[in-house]
Amino acid sequence: YTDQYHFTSRGPAVKPSAPDPIAIDVGEVLQRSVTSLHSSLVTRPTGRAVRMAIETQLQGAGRLSISLIDFTEVGIIDYSCADEIVAKLIKQQLADEIRDALFVFRGVREPHHAQVEGVLQRQDLAAVVEVDSCQFTLVGTFSSQERQVWERLEEEGMVDAGAVDRIAPDIGGITALESLLQRGLAFRSPQSGGVHALSRLVAHLM
């Protein structure tokens, strides 16, 4: 891991100090993009249309952004739409050589959870999701150490560069933290080196 001040090693040496915050209401995007009065995300073409509309909104962000993708007003989401909207957004972020985009998925309640978790697990991906009001968890594929470090960071909210041992006290913890950063599941400030929980970075958008 060569870039000690950012969650990924991609991109130029000069980077934004903080991610641009973006709030996206998936229910509104659904009604706007497919001219629908219902609140269900079913069929792959519907999911693709919503994802493309979200991507259009993200194009206006800076090189580094964090988006709160809000499913609160969505009634049902099927596996194909979960794949299009959640998994593909994450995969594209990880593959993007120009921009770095972080995501937090809000309102992933019981009707949505199994579908979102399923598509992420099948593709070895993970995401930070809100499962209840201001209660966040990791969903998808991750190691037990990654979960432990993520939970410690979530409890702390942010740790300074010199206090990382509070969440990653040993070599295994440091390795897990670096993995979380590279996978876009946590954020390290390129200026201070402090590590932030994604949920705290989007708290003002909720």
Side-chain angles (χ1 to χ4, degrees):
Y1 186 80
T2 58
D3 184 356
Q4 62 178 336
Y5 296 111
H6 200 32
F7 69 89
T8 175
S9 59
R10 302 190 304 270
V14 178
K15 298 167 182 161
S17 60
D20 288 342
I22 305 169
I24 297 176
D25 186 324
V26 178
E28 288 185 4
V29 175
L30 171 63
Q31 294 183 16
R32 197 169 60 242
S33 59
V34 299
T35 319
S36 173
L37 296 178
H38 65 77
S39 62
S40 296
L41 280 166
V42 293
T43 78
R44 188 167 293 277
T46 298
R48 185 178 300 115
V50 170
R51 174 175 52 79
M52 292 175 68
I54 291 173
E55 289 171 348
T56 298
Q57 289 185 244
L58 295 178
Q59 287 174 2
R63 186 189 179 283
L64 173 61
S65 65
I66 182 164
S67 300
L68 181 67
I69 311 293
D70 192 349
F71 286 96
T72 301
E73 299 303 319
V74 174
I76 298 172
I77 181 170
D78 68 8
Y79 282 95
S80 65
C81 286
D83 178 57
E84 287 288 338
I85 299 170
V86 180
K88 285 192 177 180
L89 280 177
I90 293 172
K91 286 177 69 175
Q92 289 171 1
Q93 172 262 313
L94 293 173
D96 197 326
E97 296 295 333
I98 298 175
R99 293 180 177 175
D100 291 317
L102 299 164
F103 298 102
V104 174
F105 298 91
R106 185 186 188 195
V108 183
R109 306 182 309 275
E110 189 61 34
H112 315 137
H113 194 276
Q115 291 87 335
V116 170
E117 185 171 49
V119 298
L120 292 175
Q121 288 179 339
R122 283 199 295 270
Q123 300 178 60
D124 290 328
L125 299 171
V128 176
V129 304
E130 183 203 47
V131 292
D132 204 348
S133 179
C134 296
Q135 294 183 16
F136 297 84
T137 190
L138 281 183
V139 169
T141 301
F142 41 82
S143 70
S144 60
Q145 283 194 310
E146 284 177 317
R147 175 180 279 284
Q148 289 172 5
V149 172
W150 182 88
E151 288 177 345
R152 293 179 191 131
L153 177 59
E154 180 66 19
E155 184 175 350
E156 294 278 347
M158 189 277 286
V159 293
D160 293 329
V164 171
D165 59 344
R166 293 215 306 267
I167 61 170
D170 52 29
I171 295 298
I174 291 295
T175 300
L177 175 59
E178 298 302 333
S179 179
L180 292 172
L181 293 164
Q182 290 181 4
R183 300 177 75 188
L185 301 172
F187 172 71
R188 177 181 276 139
S189 168
Q191 301 297 326
S192 69
V195 180
H196 299 254
L198 299 191
S199 63
R200 303 300 177 93
L201 295 178
V202 297
H204 65 292
L205 298 176
M206 302 176 71

